[in-house]
Amino acid sequence: MNTSPAPSKSDLFKYTLRQADNSMVLCQRLCQWAARGPDLEEDISLTNIGLDLIGQARSLYQYSASLCDQQVNEDDLAFMRDSHEWSNLLLVEQPNGDFADTIARQYLYDAWHLLFLEQLTESNDTTLAAIAAKSIKEVKYHNRHSSMWIKRLGDGTEVSHQRMQDAIAAVWPFTAEMFIPDELDQRMLEFGTGVDLKALKHTWDSQVSSLLVDATLSKPVAGEAIVGGRQGQHAEYLGDLLEEMQSLPRSMPNHQW
Amino acid sequence: MRANQNSKTLSADELKFEELLASGRKIEPRDWMPDDYRKTLIRQIGQHAHSEIIGMQPEGNWITRAPSLKRKAILMSKVQDEAGHGLYLYSAAETLEADRTDMLEKLNNGKMKYSSIFNYPTPCWADMGAIGWLVDGAAICNQVPLCRTSYGPYARAMVRICKEESFHQRQGYEIMLTLCRGSAEQKQMAQDALNRWWWPSIMMFGPRDDKSPNSELSLKWKIKLFSNDELRQKFVDIAVPQANILGLTVPDNDLSWNEETGHYTYGEPDWEEFFEVIQGNGPCNKERVSNRREAHENGQWVRDAAIAYAEKRAKISRPKTTQDPL
Amino acid sequence: MESKKDYPLWEVFIRSNRGIDHKHAGSLRAADAEMALQNARDLYTRRSEGVSIWVVPSNQIIASDPDDKEILFDPSKDKIYRHPTFYSLPDELEHM
């Protein structure tokens, strides 16, 4: 039994890094939309969401860096780790696909992210709680934005309905991972530092179900969960994403930019 | 009664228009205006808007590869501002009864132009520095006087744009400064970028005054307030000392300080290249326009869905308006 | 062609701070009111320029004709007694 009143520094480091990686990878995906949005206004909206996410990632990486045994900074954590060292959820690394795929990924994550942050504001780690409190306002807007599109694409034209339905089905297997705690999640929960992932499931389910009904979409049947992101088991997608993102600082390490 | 150059009598409308211009007051959307004034404005504002939208690409290209989180966030917000500025400008053009959809279509099929500067490639991170420093620097020289242009909605859009763009040039210069203070390899990247962007930036001000057909009328109508060469000189005078601070060499053998005039004397750009790029034969013309067209076409089903959704809702109930006091 | 339709135009008004009127900021395109509000937020308040936003379909705005300017606005020009500077009062009277 763990008797110490607070999590170990290395646990807290890893836990913070996970949340940072989620925001970072999703931000990078949204960056790939730059100048490619379905209309000019949406280009701006997607970048706004990306900017919120990179802000969150930076706060979390800076906090992680302060907890790390080695001398590292936010950029080392973002640019110098290989794909197997990344602990983001598999959902956020899924490729952009068409706009429906992007919105499906975004909404299913936003809905979870919001519930996650609400709990994290109660964390006994004051830094994590403060970052969560700041992020929550941003993510409420993300959730409103992606919900708006789920309804419009779902209940728009026949084409958009089909695309939205397919998109939801395609990312659905990756959502289960968000509610399955591993040992680290368990330990962080016991200390009152982390979030009770299992407890988020019920609310998420009912919120998602009710939006899908509004959007005339059907909820996919729960199939087999695809997991492993938090343990560094990623699809090749993530490797490609990181290769692009990290190429310059890796080809010229120890430089100021 | 006053008369114009053709000594034709001015109509009451024309007279009122001329009086407004002469007194320095703004022309507003519902005022009478000469057809050519309207056309010139639509062309200029439209081109300006298109330049902002196409201008997202050379930098958007580096958002996914920016070498630090800080630089990534800055570049994202800069490219986002460019989309915003494009929209402010389309919005100004729409007050002249130019339709945005129509303007975008003309951009997509090559019937409307945008600044040729965005047809040059950005192979290197230092290009992000050079674009911010030089291209935005040149744009600012052009745009600051436009805040006082005679057409109200255009002037107001420019005020907003200039206010927001002030960070764009500074962030570019800071990238250059960081590279120049870094390793020899980084400094070389910065010099290469300056070599590639200097002349295109000089040419951003358009042809020489004696070869600029539209300028005279634009000046008369106070759409433009300074000539191409006046603005170009201003830019050179500002940019050369900035290059010196960086320790970089401006790629112009004819460049020298003229004590008498208090200005730099500079060499003649390669105007043949300029006209080639304008004609659509620049290194990236086809790519830029086809990317834009692709984004537009790929988004059609999304826009159709949003319209269909709105129409369905409108049938079910009247759009909800605010019942409470505003 | 049916599929080439663009969104309708909306006018955007922003209240930049409490105590200040909403001011016209510009226009944008959006399929419906909800989208127009979100787009207005993203387009016109990227630097926290606003505390409140109005969006109005552009075709719902009824504007006066500039040719009517004389009829509408000139008659008030000679009513100078509506302005405080019309009245000359003794200097000793400091605040009025």
Side-chain angles (χ1 to χ4, degrees), chain A residues 148-207:
Chain A
M148 180 190 88
W149 275 115
I150 294 271
K151 285 190 272 179
R152 276 152 189 75
L153 299 181
D155 194 15
T157 63
E158 257 173 64
V159 173
S160 71
H161 176 83
Q162 195 54 51
R163 287 190 181 208
M164 197 64 248
Q165 190 68 67
D166 293 347
I168 296 273
V171 289
W172 197 260
F174 299 100
T175 57
E177 189 186 22
M178 301 191 288
F179 309 100
I180 304 173
D182 69 355
E183 282 171 13
L184 176 62
D185 289 311
Q186 213 55 56
R187 285 200 298 276
M188 296 304 277
L189 176 60
E190 280 161 22
F191 285 121
T193 310
V195 170
D196 183 357
L197 295 178
K198 283 189 203 157
L200 306 180
K201 175 92 166 115
H202 180 73
T203 318
W204 183 86
D205 255 336
S206 72
Q207 286 178 356

Side-chain angles (χ1 to χ4, degrees), chain A residues 54-228:
Chain A
I54 200 173
Q56 294 168 13
R58 290 184 69 185
S59 304
L60 291 162
Y61 281 136
Q62 284 160 11
Y63 185 42
S64 309
S66 75
L67 297 163
C68 187
D69 292 331
Q70 294 148 300
Q71 190 69 27
V72 291
N73 61 28
E74 53 170 7
D75 287 329
D76 297 327
L77 292 173
F79 293 98
M80 296 300 165
R81 284 179 305 139
D82 290 329
S83 133
H84 70 267
E85 297 169 275
W86 282 67
S87 52
N88 58 279
L89 293 161
L90 295 175
L91 176 64
V92 294
E93 73 193 44
Q94 296 309 304
N96 283 343
D98 67 15
F99 188 64
D101 292 314
T102 290
I103 288 297
R105 179 188 69 204
Q106 190 69 39
Y107 170 67
L108 297 172
Y109 180 72
D110 288 344
W112 175 84
H113 196 193
L114 189 52
L115 297 172
F116 180 90
L117 290 173
E118 274 167 7
Q119 263 211 36
L120 195 61
T121 56
E122 309 286 323
S123 170
N124 61 3
D125 184 280
T126 50
T127 309
L128 280 182
I131 295 173
K134 181 176 179 293
S135 309
I136 227 168
K137 292 183 222 160
E138 300 165 345
V139 175
K140 271 186 186 160
Y141 187 79
H142 303 174
N143 186 54
R144 185 185 292 182
H145 180 83
S146 54
S147 309
M148 180 190 88
W149 275 115
I150 294 271
K151 285 190 272 179
R152 276 152 189 75
L153 299 181
D155 194 15
T157 63
E158 257 173 64
V159 173
S160 71
H161 176 83
Q162 195 54 51
R163 287 190 181 208
M164 197 64 248
Q165 190 68 67
D166 293 347
I168 296 273
V171 289
W172 197 260
F174 299 100
T175 57
E177 189 186 22
M178 301 191 288
F179 309 100
I180 304 173
D182 69 355
E183 282 171 13
L184 176 62
D185 289 311
Q186 213 55 56
R187 285 200 298 276
M188 296 304 277
L189 176 60
E190 280 161 22
F191 285 121
T193 310
V195 170
D196 183 357
L197 295 178
K198 283 189 203 157
L200 306 180
K201 175 92 166 115
H202 180 73
T203 318
W204 183 86
D205 255 336
S206 72
Q207 286 178 356
V208 169
S209 302
S210 108
L211 183 74
L212 292 181
V213 168
D214 269 2
T216 71
L217 295 163
S218 50
K219 192 173 164 186
V221 278
E224 203 171 326
I226 307 178
V227 298

Side-chain angles (χ1 to χ4, degrees), chain B residues 29 34 60 62 79-80 123 137 166 194 203 219 252 267 280 292 311-312 325:
Chain B
W62 274 95
V79 173
Q80 186 196 40
S166 54
L194 171 59
M203 291 191 274
L219 286 165
D252 178 355
R292 182 67 243 144
E311 282 169 356
K312 279 187 211 173

Side-chain angles (χ1 to χ4, degrees), chain C residues 12 14 48 59 66 71 76:
Chain C
V12 180
I14 309 271
S48 32
N59 62 14
I71 312 173
S76 64

Side-chain angles (χ1 to χ4, degrees), chain B residues 31-318:
Chain B
D31 287 330
W32 181 90
M33 59 189 85
D35 268 352
D36 283 340
Y37 177 82
R38 184 185 296 273
K39 276 187 206 145
T40 305
L41 273 172
I42 291 176
R43 194 188 63 227
Q44 184 173 329
I45 301 174
Q47 274 185 19
H48 195 160
H50 294 335
S51 302
E52 297 280 358
I53 299 304
I54 294 288
M56 294 167 72
Q57 290 183 36
E59 291 170 293
N61 170 32
W62 274 95
I63 287 183
T64 51
R65 295 179 291 156
S68 75
L69 295 178
K70 180 182 113 181
R71 294 284 174 217
K72 191 193 275 289
I74 292 172
L75 197 58
M76 285 168 76
S77 42
K78 178 169 192 269
V79 173
Q80 186 196 40
D81 274 349
E82 282 154 12
H85 298 169
L87 290 184
Y88 300 160
L89 289 160
Y90 287 125
S91 149
E94 294 206 86
T95 64
L96 294 156
E97 282 153 45
D99 181 72
R100 179 175 110 184
T101 318
D102 183 51
M103 286 187 281
L104 283 171
E105 197 139 304
K106 284 182 177 147
L107 170 65
N108 289 340
N109 62 26
K111 283 188 184 150
M112 271 183 95
K113 300 208 182 308
Y114 55 87
S115 176
S116 1
I117 193 85
F118 301 116
N119 288 323
Y120 293 90
T122 48
C124 171
W125 168 250
D127 293 327
M128 297 305 101
I131 288 184
W133 169 37
L134 297 171
V135 176
D136 288 301
I140 289 169
C141 285
N142 261 324
Q143 291 173 353
V144 167
L146 285 175
C147 296
R148 291 180 288 125
T149 191
S150 61
Y151 186 59
Y154 190 23
R156 292 191 284 277
M158 290 317 304
V159 169
R160 189 182 279 273
I161 290 172
C162 285
K163 203 157 78 185
E164 296 188 352
E165 277 203 346
S166 54
F167 96 83
H168 292 185
Q169 192 188 16
R170 295 173 77 101
Q171 65 86 34
Y173 195 75
E174 195 191 70
I175 291 175
M176 294 301 267
L177 202 59
T178 310
L179 293 174
C180 290
R181 287 176 179 169
S183 68
E185 194 181 349
Q186 281 178 309
K187 188 158 185 185
Q188 190 54 47
M189 286 164 77
Q191 182 65 54
D192 288 345
L194 171 59
N195 293 349
R196 278 180 291 111
W197 290 95
W198 177 259
W199 289 109
S201 303
I202 292 287
M203 291 191 274
M204 270 177 78
F205 296 92
R208 276 177 20 188
D209 289 350
D210 52 11
K211 298 216 167 73
S212 175
N214 300 321
S215 278
E216 207 185 320
L217 210 51
S218 289
L219 286 165
K220 180 186 154 226
W221 280 332
K222 297 187 182 172
I223 295 175
K224 276 176 80 159
L225 298 168
F226 295 98
S227 78
N228 295 354
D229 286 337
E230 284 171 327
L231 292 168
R232 189 174 1 253
Q233 184 68 57
K234 198 172 162 209
F235 170 71
V236 172
D237 289 347
I238 295 172
V240 172
Q242 291 170 342
N244 294 339
I245 293 173
L246 294 173
L248 297 177
T249 312
V250 174
D252 178 355
N253 293 330
D254 299 320
L255 190 74
S256 63
W257 175 250
N258 185 327
E259 201 65 60
E260 246 169 72
T261 57
H263 293 293
Y264 282 94
T265 308
Y266 55 93
E268 197 67 27
D270 181 355
W271 290 113
E272 217 162 289
E273 175 192 301
F274 175 77
F275 290 110
E276 275 294 299
V277 180
I278 283 198
Q279 290 315 311
N281 303 320
C284 302
N285 289 56
K286 289 194 181 69
E287 183 192 335
R288 301 281 189 245
V289 174
S290 83
N291 285 345
R292 182 67 243 144
R293 193 184 310 131
E294 203 180 292
H296 186 76
E297 283 165 7
N298 288 343
Q300 190 65 52
W301 70 272
V302 177
R303 299 192 298 276
D304 288 344
I307 289 172
Y309 179 86
E311 282 169 356
K312 279 187 211 173
R313 298 288 127 170
K315 267 182 209 154
I316 297 167
S317 64
R318 286 194 51 236

